[in-house]
Amino acid sequence: MVMPKYKFALLPLAICISSGSVLAATNAELERRLEDQERKIKKLERKLQGTRGAVKQNRGRISDLSDRFKINGFFSGGVAVGDGDQVDLNGVGDNYSTSAISRLGLQLTFKITEDMNLTGQLVSRGVDDYGVKAESANLSWDLTSHFTARIGRQRIPYYLLSAYLEVGYAYPWVR
């Protein structure tokens, strides 16, 4: 009967010795899994670097676009009334009128290159029931620092005066 006690006492020792190969196989499996995970992490890091580069490039494009695109606007408003009985000039008569001299405008400029600009101007006037019209749309090219060529819809009168006709602060006459 003493023999069976020893058999049971050696059982845990036998399990420990035999599990060494099982543990070794498990360790090898764990090492393989760890290497697989490390490869996946490196692949994701490379992908992330590419994504960061794309984000930086897009940020540069967006800031470049905002530097090249410019929006200006103007509003001119007032009240007019005439003192004559039979005079009605551009909607100004015996009654007070705000639409006769009110206008709203928007000018969009896009710098294509250092020397080329695309410009358009939209104007809404009270005398036209505030309908929006494209006053000008042109492509300008600075050939030299003193000479600019323009092609497209121009305003009359030409030259620099046409850029200020609707704005109101640079009228060549008094209203």
Side-chain angles (χ1 to χ4, degrees):
M1 293 250 190
V2 175
M3 217 43 179
K5 282 186 180 180
Y6 290 116
K7 285 184 182 179
F8 289 120
L10 293 177
L11 184 61
L13 182 61
I15 291 174
C16 287
I17 292 172
S18 65
S19 67
S21 62
V22 173
L23 288 176
T26 305
N27 284 341
E29 178 66 23
L30 288 175
E31 288 292 326
R32 188 188 61 75
R33 287 183 186 175
L34 183 61
E35 288 172 2
D36 286 344
Q37 293 300 321
E38 286 175 351
R39 275 195 298 275
K40 288 179 183 178
I41 288 171
K42 286 182 182 179
K43 184 178 177 183
L44 288 172
E45 284 175 347
R46 284 192 301 271
K47 190 174 182 180
L48 181 62
Q49 288 297 330
T51 305
R52 284 181 183 159
V55 168
K56 285 180 184 178
Q57 187 177 12
N58 285 338
R59 281 185 190 157
R61 287 180 187 161
I62 290 169
S63 74
D64 184 41
L65 181 63
S66 67
D67 290 341
R68 293 169 54 191
F69 188 67
K70 190 164 114 179
I71 300 174
N72 293 320
F74 57 88
F75 172 74
S76 177
V79 177
V81 64
D83 62 356
D85 292 335
Q86 310 239 341
V87 177
D88 188 3
L89 180 64
N90 286 336
V92 177
D94 291 338
N95 297 326
Y96 289 99
S97 171
T98 58
S99 64
I101 57 176
S102 298
R103 63 197 57 166
L104 176 67
L106 187 67
Q107 181 168 323
L108 309 166
T109 304
F110 183 72
K111 189 174 209 158
I112 298 170
T113 65
E114 288 296 320
D115 298 332
M116 293 182 99
N117 291 324
L118 184 62
T119 304
Q121 186 180 62
L122 303 172
V123 178
S124 172
R125 291 183 192 83
V127 293
D128 297 331
D129 292 326
Y130 297 102
V132 178
K133 292 183 181 176
E135 288 293 320
S136 66
N138 62 65
L139 177 68
S140 64
W141 182 20
D142 297 331
L143 298 172
T144 68
S145 61
H146 301 290
F147 185 74
T148 300
R150 287 188 178 97
I151 187 168
R153 183 178 177 148
Q154 301 284 322
R155 294 185 57 128
I156 295 177
Y158 295 115
Y159 311 112
L160 295 177
L161 179 63
S162 66
Y164 300 105
L165 282 178
E166 299 291 344
V167 178
Y169 73 88
Y171 280 129
W173 58 88
V174 177
R175 302 217 285 174

